[in-house]
Amino acid sequence: MRTFQQISALRAYLRNLRQDKKTIGFVPTMGALHAGHLSLVQRSKGDCDITVLSLFVNPAQFAPTEDLSKYPRELNRDMQLTSNADVDAVFLPEIEEMYPSGFQTWVGVTELSKPLEGEHRPTHYQGVATIVTKLLNIVQPDIAYFGQKDYQQFLVVERMVRDLNIPSAIQMVATVREADGLAMSSRNVYLSPEERTAATLLNRLIGIASERVQQGEPNPLTLKQDLERVMSQEPLAELDYVALVHPDTLQPVTGLQEEATLLTLAIKIGKTRLIDNALLVPEGIPLPRPRISKPI
Ligand code: AMP
């Protein structure tokens, strides 16, 4: 496995591979890797000749009040995991390599960044869109892989790639969960044992909502209120939002039985903020196709 800290060295390595007609898959991460990240790697290795993974805790996507300084950093373990997973190249730039002094160009995806996470983290997606643009420009992958776990992030990146004519396909990969249903996340290490148990609430809410929609519940407001009621019974959980939205536009839906609806949830358990989501598919409606955007 090759490791690169310099953009120029990574570019030189990839240029040679491209000349040899190798296809390149790319998995951007902030490290503290887990099986969710590794499922993106597996997908890339299945689709592409070469897999590049980046490890970069991007300061621009954290607000000053958020957990940038204590975000888990486990470089040795990450290198072991990527090497075991047969990643071809790891890109781990220093902050100055990505944001040199004088940096002043930002990418904003105006509408899709506004609702849901955007309401609670107003500068987050500008940070995400900017770093992903830079990484895609550096790596120039055939396909870049993103988790469904961060569904809104996927939509923001998909829109940005289309709007800016970035010549990479963007592939969504299903959320990987712990045995009890908690979505894997680098932030799960913050949870105390009691909080970890309470965190299964998210997956319980998804289960309740999926069942209700399959049983024919037509009304998003009724379902939302019922989910909020279940949530209020968990003393360790504090609600950020429960939303039932269209999976392409993220706008609230008016019915639940016409097509698939995206349920998206954010809660705080103690100091830890957790998000999760699922597509709710009514009986008789086919599952939406897995999402991949083709370069135009
Ligand atoms: P992060 O390191 O949190 O920025 O995540 C890097 C990539 O891994 C993003 O595309 C995430 O959506 C994806 N990811 C994180 N957790 C999971 C999970 N449990 N299952 C699948 N993908 C995930």
Side-chain angles (χ1 to χ4, degrees):
M1 186 174 76
R2 305 282 303 268
T3 61
F4 299 92
Q5 289 194 297
Q6 309 299 325
I7 295 167
S8 54
L10 176 63
R11 280 206 159 132
Y13 162 78
L14 292 171
R15 202 176 301 123
N16 287 335
L17 292 167
R18 242 178 258 112
Q19 269 165 10
D20 292 344
K21 303 274 180 267
K22 302 286 189 208
T23 54
I24 295 165
F26 177 47
V27 179
T29 82
M30 298 206 299
L33 299 179
H34 51 66
H37 298 114
L38 297 177
S39 78
L40 273 55
V41 168
Q42 287 320 315
R43 190 62 192 267
S44 170
K45 290 192 64 68
D47 294 343
C48 303
D49 299 322
I50 298 291
T51 293
V52 181
L53 179 140
S54 62
L55 294 173
F56 181 65
V57 182
N58 174 33
Q61 69 191 69
F62 291 78
T65 52
E66 292 179 354
D67 57 344
L68 173 62
S69 61
K70 72 178 175 90
Y71 195 82
R73 288 161 172 88
E74 302 181 39
L75 186 55
N76 290 340
R77 189 170 164 274
D78 287 350
M79 296 307 280
Q80 195 60 58
L81 286 171
T82 45
S83 164
N84 293 349
D86 236 353
V87 167
D88 297 282
V90 174
F91 179 47
L92 55 158
E94 296 288 343
I95 291 178
E96 295 70 33
E97 184 74 359
M98 298 308 281
Y99 298 108
S101 100
F103 186 90
Q104 53 187 288
T105 304
W106 299 98
V107 181
V109 179
T110 51
E111 295 311 309
L112 284 168
S113 297
K114 267 189 202 143
L116 307 172
E117 286 301 280
E119 269 183 34
H120 294 260
R121 308 181 72 189
T123 57
H124 175 65
Y125 285 117
Q126 175 176 289
V128 170
T130 303
I131 196 68
V132 174
T133 301
K134 287 170 65 69
L135 289 167
L136 292 176
N137 279 339
I138 292 164
V139 177
Q140 300 178 28
D142 294 277
I143 310 179
Y145 296 84
F146 294 84
Q148 181 182 339
K149 164 82 185 353
D150 300 284
Y151 191 101
Q152 187 173 8
Q153 167 173 280
F154 178 87
L155 286 193
V156 165
V157 169
E158 183 186 53
R159 184 76 249 170
M160 172 194 93
V161 160
R162 204 177 296 161
D163 288 351
L164 297 182
N165 308 99
I166 296 176
S168 299
I170 306 298
Q171 172 75 59
M172 181 186 280
V173 179
T175 302
V176 177
R177 298 176 181 280
E178 304 283 359
D180 64 5
L182 178 66
M184 290 195 179
S185 163
S186 305
R187 291 189 165 98
N188 291 350
V189 298
Y190 298 152
L191 299 168
S192 70
E194 300 75 43
E195 291 172 343
R196 172 66 186 77
T197 305
T200 58
L201 172 68
L202 285 168
N203 196 50
R204 273 185 281 138
L205 293 171
I206 288 174
I208 292 169
S210 301
E211 207 173 297
R212 288 279 296 279
V213 166
Q214 271 167 26
Q215 287 165 353
E217 171 63 58
N219 189 334
L221 283 180
T222 310
L223 180 57
K224 185 169 142 60
Q225 283 165 0
D226 290 349
L227 295 175
E228 285 173 356
R229 200 169 311 122
V230 175
M231 190 178 287
S232 68
Q233 286 157 12
E234 173 50 69
L236 291 183
E238 185 193 325
L239 172 70
D240 253 4
Y241 61 82
V242 176
L244 292 156
V245 298
H246 191 281
D248 296 331
T249 63
L250 303 180
Q251 294 305 306
V253 292
T254 51
L256 295 170
Q257 292 300 315
E258 293 72 31
E259 55 183 326
T261 299
L262 180 72
L263 167 66
T264 158
L265 304 161
I267 61 175
K268 276 203 206 81
I269 301 223
K271 289 203 168 82
T272 307
R273 190 165 180 281
L274 299 174
I275 59 171
D276 204 347
N277 69 80
L279 285 167
L280 309 178
V281 186
E283 190 73 14
I285 303 273
L287 265 175
R289 264 188 329 103
R291 296 191 78 113
I292 177 157
S293 74
K294 295 261 156 39
I296 296 169

